[in-house]
């Protein structure tokens, strides 16, 4: 048996720190989803995807900063490897592709459809 709800409740009731971490995690997930919905309503789904990509690079940067600026032995840090430039290049291609597809970044030489009445309305 992998999951045991009764054991989970016992763990949470006997460990206030674990309960605090779980509540913080649930708050974080709820806040993330609520702001994602607000961004999509205010801007577009493309903007939301670009913000998600920004979150990825911030987490990666945090891992690098922990390793090189805080503690080289920390399990939360990440080492710059020989493949890191390739990862960074791939990330740039991904974000650029999203920006071009969503017409946030308009490249000269590409034809873009004229905005429709539905897209122009707030």
């Amino acid at each position: 048996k992998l999951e045991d709800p009764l054991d989970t409740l016992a763990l949470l009731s006997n460990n206030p720190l674990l309960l605090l971490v779980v509540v913080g995690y649930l708050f974080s997930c709820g806040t993330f989803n609520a702001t994602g919905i607000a961004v999509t309503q205010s801007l577009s789904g493309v903007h939301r995807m670009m913000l998600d990509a920004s979150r990825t690079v911030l987490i990666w940067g945090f891992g690098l900063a922990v390793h090189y600026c805080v503690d080289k032995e920390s399990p939360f840090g990440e080492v710059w490897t020989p493949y890191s430039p390739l990862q960074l290049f791939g990330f740039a291609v991904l974000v650029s592709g999203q920006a071009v597809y969503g017409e946030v970044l308009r490249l000269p030489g590409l034809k873009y459809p004229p905005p429709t009445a539905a897209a122009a309305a707030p």
Side-chain angles (χ1 to χ4, degrees):
K1 200 168 156 179
L2 295 176
E3 299 291 329
D4 186 357
L6 296 177
D7 187 40
T8 302
L9 291 175
L11 284 170
L12 290 173
S13 63
N14 291 324
N15 190 337
L17 182 59
L18 180 61
L19 180 62
L20 182 66
V21 168
V22 169
V23 169
Y25 175 74
L26 292 174
F27 178 77
S28 171
C29 289
T31 303
F32 173 76
N33 288 324
T35 55
I37 291 169
V39 166
T40 303
Q41 285 177 343
S42 298
L43 300 171
S44 71
V46 173
H47 289 91
R48 182 176 181 177
M49 290 304 299
M50 293 186 73
L51 288 173
D52 283 346
S54 300
R55 178 178 48 131
T56 302
V57 82
L58 284 173
I59 292 170
W60 190 34
F62 177 80
L64 289 170
V66 165
H67 179 76
Y68 289 107
C69 301
V70 178
D71 181 12
K72 290 187 183 284
E73 302 300 320
S74 173
F76 301 109
E78 184 170 336
V79 180
W80 183 268
T81 68
Y83 297 102
S84 295
L86 182 62
Q87 287 178 320
L88 189 58
F89 175 73
F91 179 79
V93 169
L94 173 76
V95 172
S96 301
Q98 288 176 342
V100 170
Y101 176 77
E103 297 179 17
V104 174
L105 177 64
R106 291 177 169 255
L107 297 178
L110 294 180
K111 293 185 179 184
Y112 295 93
T116 62

